[in-house]
Amino acid sequence: MRALRFALVALALAGAGCRRDKPVDHLQRARDAIFEKRPDEALVEYRKAFDMLRHDSSPEALVLRARSLKGAADVYWLEQRKVKEAVGVYRELIQQCPESPEALEARIILAELLRVHYRDLRGAIDQLTAALQRNPPQGAELHYQVGKLYFELGDYQQCELETRRLVERFATSVFVDDTLFLQAQAIAMMEGRRQEASRAFADLRTRFPDSELSPHALFEMGKLRSDAGEHEKAIETWVETLKTHPDPTLVQDYIARARKRIANTTAEGVGQREVAFDRARPARSSLEAVGGRPEEAAHEHD
């Protein structure tokens, strides 16, 4: 009986020694390590899972491979703030599993990392554009980000084009008012389109009167009028803006500047008219004409 017991224990130990960990086991250990604030250990487990799946092309293996790469990239970025390493693994995920949900998330995160940490705005646009081709649920927001990136690049024409596409494609999105404001800003930056930009800001106010951007649109309309030299109209617009603008001090500052410009312009005009009048007045004598004092000129012919 005792011998039988030892035999059973030996078989159990042998079975345990022969059993190999599966990729899912390493993934679970990685998640546990993250929860327990051990990111280095999590990275080791994610790498073990990936290595086991490297040469497996089955659908199940592709799913787990995407999860292991996404998990490792997230650890680098979210837990360790190692941007370079995170970017590398997100790129590897996109290359290895391009159709996976994890790759879609990776493109969105990668776009932000490229924009913020590398100032690679066109690289960020490429990632967001590729993500949009998958018709993600947050498509309107991503398209809006593309428009903002073009604005940041100074490509105002392309920004206008992207914002028009967004409004057409996502007409009921909560991002439409933001998009119209961005569109008006882009138009305002292009030469000779000041009036069109003003109409675009007015259109935003008409379509979304309760939007938090409405007072900002009115403020921008005032700036456009001021830039055109219409300081009185600009002041009228900004006075109206004071009723709803979240920063009335800013608006009052612009009003004060415009009033100062008007005062300076008026003073300059008066001064010019006085100089013109003085020059037009005939000299009382030849001596006065060349700069002599009036009392000297009185004795000129004595």
Side-chain angles (χ1 to χ4, degrees):
M1 193 69 178
R2 185 176 180 182
L4 178 60
R5 190 181 305 117
F6 279 123
L8 291 174
V9 171
L11 286 172
L13 292 173
C18 293
R19 185 181 64 203
R20 294 183 57 192
D21 289 330
K22 297 179 181 179
V24 291
D25 297 325
H26 291 294
L27 291 177
Q28 184 58 52
R29 289 173 190 162
R31 288 190 287 268
D32 293 342
I34 293 171
F35 181 77
E36 295 167 3
K37 304 298 181 183
R38 292 181 280 113
D40 291 336
E41 184 177 328
L43 287 172
V44 171
E45 294 297 335
Y46 279 128
R47 178 52 62 181
K48 287 180 178 179
F50 178 78
D51 289 341
M52 294 178 69
L53 299 161
R54 189 184 296 274
H55 303 294
D56 189 343
S57 58
S58 66
E60 295 81 3
L62 290 176
V63 170
L64 295 177
R65 191 187 305 172
R67 291 177 182 174
S68 63
L69 288 170
K70 177 65 163 49
D74 287 348
V75 169
Y76 278 129
W77 168 229
L78 300 175
E79 304 297 329
Q80 298 183 333
R81 295 297 175 180
K82 294 181 178 180
V83 177
K84 181 180 178 180
E85 290 80 357
V87 167
V89 181
Y90 283 129
R91 289 190 185 280
E92 185 177 4
L93 166 58
I94 292 168
Q95 181 181 6
Q96 293 263 345
C97 314
E99 302 302 317
S100 66
E102 289 81 6
L104 173 60
E105 296 176 31
R107 287 189 183 278
I108 297 170
I109 298 171
L110 182 57
E112 184 66 6
L113 293 178
L114 293 175
R115 182 187 74 83
V116 174
H117 296 277
Y118 293 93
R119 297 303 299 162
D120 183 3
L121 303 185
R122 294 203 178 274
I125 289 172
D126 290 342
Q127 293 299 330
L128 293 178
T129 301
L132 283 167
Q133 292 175 356
R134 302 280 302 278
N135 293 318
Q138 68 273 49
E141 180 181 2
L142 298 183
H143 206 146
Y144 175 66
Q145 294 298 329
V146 170
K148 286 179 62 178
L149 286 167
Y150 276 117
F151 188 92
E152 198 170 348
L153 274 170
D155 192 342
Y156 305 117
Q157 187 173 5
Q158 188 63 35
C159 175
E160 180 189 7
L161 179 61
E162 295 295 337
T163 52
R164 292 191 187 281
R165 287 175 178 168
L166 192 158
V167 173
E168 292 173 1
R169 184 177 176 186
F170 303 99
T172 60
S173 169
V174 295
F175 283 91
V176 171
D177 58 336
D178 298 86
T179 302
L180 290 174
F181 189 84
L182 178 62
Q183 182 183 114
Q185 286 181 308
I187 295 172
M189 296 298 292
M190 289 185 273
E191 190 70 28
R193 301 185 65 183
R194 188 181 292 122
Q195 290 185 351
E196 188 177 347
S198 186
R199 288 194 296 269
F201 282 121
D203 180 51
L204 165 62
R205 286 175 51 78
T206 300
R207 294 178 61 176
F208 299 94
D210 298 326
S211 170
E212 63 180 11
L213 292 173
S214 182
H216 294 281
L218 188 59
F219 177 71
E220 293 297 325
M221 291 169 67
K223 288 171 63 178
L224 289 169
R225 287 169 178 165
S226 179
D227 291 342
E230 302 173 354
H231 301 303
E232 293 286 359
K233 291 183 179 179
I235 291 173
E236 292 176 6
T237 303
W238 287 327
V239 168
E240 183 182 352
T241 309
L242 280 172
K243 302 173 185 176
T244 55
H245 199 279
D247 188 355
T249 302
L250 173 67
V251 181
Q252 289 169 344
D253 182 54
Y254 270 79
I255 292 173
R257 290 189 210 173
R259 286 175 174 161
K260 187 174 181 180
R261 291 193 196 100
I262 293 172
N264 290 340
T265 302
T266 304
E268 289 172 3
V270 170
Q272 290 171 357
R273 287 195 297 272
E274 289 175 348
V275 170
F277 177 77
D278 288 341
R279 288 178 178 173
R281 179 174 61 83
R284 294 191 311 203
S285 68
S286 58
L287 184 60
E288 187 178 358
V290 295
R293 294 193 303 276
E295 56 271 22
E296 294 175 339
H299 301 288
E300 180 180 1
H301 300 292
D302 290 348

